[in-house]
Amino acid sequence: VQLVESGGGLVQPGGSLRLSCGASGRTISRYGMGWFRQAPGKKREFVVAITWSGDRTYYAESVKGRFTISRDNAKNTVSLQMNSLKPEDTAVYYCAARLQGLLYADDYDYWGQGTQVTVSS
């Protein structure tokens, strides 16, 4: 599975961005999907994940109520809507896919190359 993120950029505090993750190589319809982020000088951290069916989602406390994950298995894509962005959300955001295991753990099977999100005035 090849994953490619898009939609990152520079946004002011309080603004919104929508990240997309497109998959190729095989269908991700049976994969749990997650978004992680890594800020400069910090470890990669879990942000949000969604089960293969889309019936359950998991959010880090820091983004609850502001971020929303969704998936379209027919289009082989996963999206992350980010609202009310804060400077501390600045990081490289990675899309990841896994067949089994804990969706909040970072030992996913496949990773994208990442997209930069910068929140600054």
Side-chain angles (χ1 to χ4, degrees):
V1 177
Q2 290 79 46
L3 302 172
V4 178
E5 303 93 337
S6 61
L10 173 64
V11 63
Q12 293 187 341
S16 298
L17 278 176
R18 186 175 181 86
L19 304 184
S20 293
C21 175
S24 61
R26 65 179 63 179
T27 177
I28 58 170
S29 62
R30 293 297 180 180
Y31 285 79
M33 300 296 296
W35 287 93
F36 290 75
R37 66 186 181 187
Q38 187 168 22
K42 294 187 176 182
K43 294 178 62 176
R44 186 168 60 195
E45 65 174 1
F46 168 77
V47 177
V48 61
I50 188 168
T51 54
W52 66 270
S53 63
D55 64 337
R56 282 176 290 171
T57 55
Y58 304 88
Y59 292 87
E61 285 296 326
S62 59
V63 306
K64 275 185 181 178
R66 300 188 298 121
F67 290 14
T68 303
I69 189 171
S70 60
R71 66 187 300 159
D72 186 335
N73 286 340
K75 295 182 178 179
N76 234 23
T77 60
V78 177
S79 297
L80 178 62
Q81 178 66 42
M82 305 186 296
N83 299 327
S84 303
L85 283 162
K86 305 175 181 180
E88 51 264 43
D89 294 318
T90 295
V92 177
Y93 282 71
Y94 298 90
C95 173
R98 70 185 307 159
L99 277 176
Q100 299 180 33
L102 298 173
L103 290 179
Y104 53 82
D106 72 350
D107 57 339
Y108 274 60
D109 301 317
Y110 303 99
W111 293 85
Q113 84 289 349
T115 185
Q116 176 71 46
V117 171
T118 302
V119 185
S120 175
S121 55

